[in-house]
């Protein structure tokens, strides 16, 4: 049985490579499609980090119960008194979108526009409006987007019904808030041109201000109500 011996030797030698593969492979749990598990909750904490030197940051908490998704956002450093479009971006079909960095600024004007960011963060999946429709179609419904208070804070809570695809792939998605004021005049103006998404809107109104990726939170020590 020398053949078996050599097979075992080869198998042993292959162990380090196999370990590397195992470590690199994401251990993602499957979806909770069974009705008996609909009370099971999955919580995700998102750190919203500034894009475009906006100074905007914050925390988003996403709790999924079956297909009921509760989104709580506490953000600060946004443009005071202005509406901030906010979305859940990304793919539910396995493409690994993520928050862009400054290298996404293809034309080098110092602003990662929404269009320049799209290849990194993916299309709008859910529009985090304050009322009514939450589909991609409401992505620029600025009249239904939260308005930052006079200190630049946004506090947002909404529970929405999501598709099974979103429920199954929630961990692949991320939160983006839009609206920046690079010239610091306290409002959205056309100093950075028009938005590629809607020429009636300034680029400042639709450029991303912050982005955060979902991280599964299972130990129950979620820092709620952080201001
Ligand atoms: Cu967005």
């Amino acid at each position: 049985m020398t053949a078996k011996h050599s097979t075992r030797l080869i198998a042993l030698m292959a162990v380090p490579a196999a370990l590397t593969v195992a470590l690199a492979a994401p251990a993602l749990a499957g979806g909770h499609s069974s009705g008996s598990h609909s009370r099971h909750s999955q919580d995700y904490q998102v750190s919203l980090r500034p894009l475009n030197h906006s100074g905007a940051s914050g925390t988003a908490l996403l709790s999924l119960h079956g297909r009921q998704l509760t989104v709580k956002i506490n953000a600060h450093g946004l443009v005071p008194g202005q509406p901030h479009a906010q979305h859940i971006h990304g793919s539910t079909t396995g493409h690994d979108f993520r928050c862009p960095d400054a290298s996404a600024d293809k034309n080098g004007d110092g602003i990662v526009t929404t269009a320049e960011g799209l290849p990194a963060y993916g299309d709008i999946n859910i529009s985090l409006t304050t009322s009514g429709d939450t589909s991609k179609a409401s992505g620029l419904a600025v009249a239904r987007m939260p308005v930052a208070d006079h200190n630049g804070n946004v506090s947002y809570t909404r529970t929405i019904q999501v598709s099974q695809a979103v429920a199954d792939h929630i961990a692949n998605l991320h939160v983006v808030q839009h609206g920046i004021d690079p010239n610091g005049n306290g409002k959205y103006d056309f100093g950075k041109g028009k938005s590629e998404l809607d020429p009636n809107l300034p680029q400042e109104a639709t450029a991303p201000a912050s982005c955060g990726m979902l991280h599964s939170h299972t130990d129950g020590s979620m820092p709620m109500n952080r201001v």
Side-chain angles (χ1 to χ4, degrees), residues 136-152:
K136 177 190 167 184
S138 292
L140 291 177
V142 285
R144 289 186 290 116
M145 289 296 178
V147 176
D149 69 13
H150 66 281
N151 291 317

Side-chain angles (χ1 to χ4, degrees), residues 178-215:
H178 301 262
I180 60 173
D181 181 24
N183 60 5
N185 67 350
K187 60 181 182 182
Y188 300 144
D189 60 65
F190 286 86
K192 289 289 180 183
K194 302 171 187 173
S195 170
E196 315 95 314
L197 308 175
D198 179 348
N200 296 313
L201 291 175
Q203 185 67 262
E204 289 189 358
T206 64
S210 68
C211 184
M213 320 237 296
L214 270 66
H215 296 285

Side-chain angles (χ1 to χ4, degrees), residues 24-43:
L28 275 176
H32 300 271
S33 49
S34 160
S36 60
H37 287 132
S38 62
R39 298 232 165 243
H40 181 83
S41 126
Q42 296 167 267
D43 295 325

Side-chain angles (χ1 to χ4, degrees), residues 58-73:
T59 306
L61 298 170
L62 280 73
S63 298
L64 186 66
H65 303 256
R67 287 172 49 205
Q68 293 281 110
L69 178 67
T70 298
V71 180
K72 295 183 182 182
I73 295 176

Side-chain angles (χ1 to χ4, degrees), residues 4-34:
K4 240 180 194 162
H5 266 115
S6 54
T7 302
R8 188 176 289 173
L9 262 178
I10 288 164
L12 281 170
M13 288 167 73
V15 161
L19 268 178
T20 307
V21 170
L23 285 170
L28 275 176
H32 300 271
S33 49
S34 160

Side-chain angles (χ1 to χ4, degrees), residues 51 75 85 160 173:
L51 283 171
I160 51 186
L173 302 178

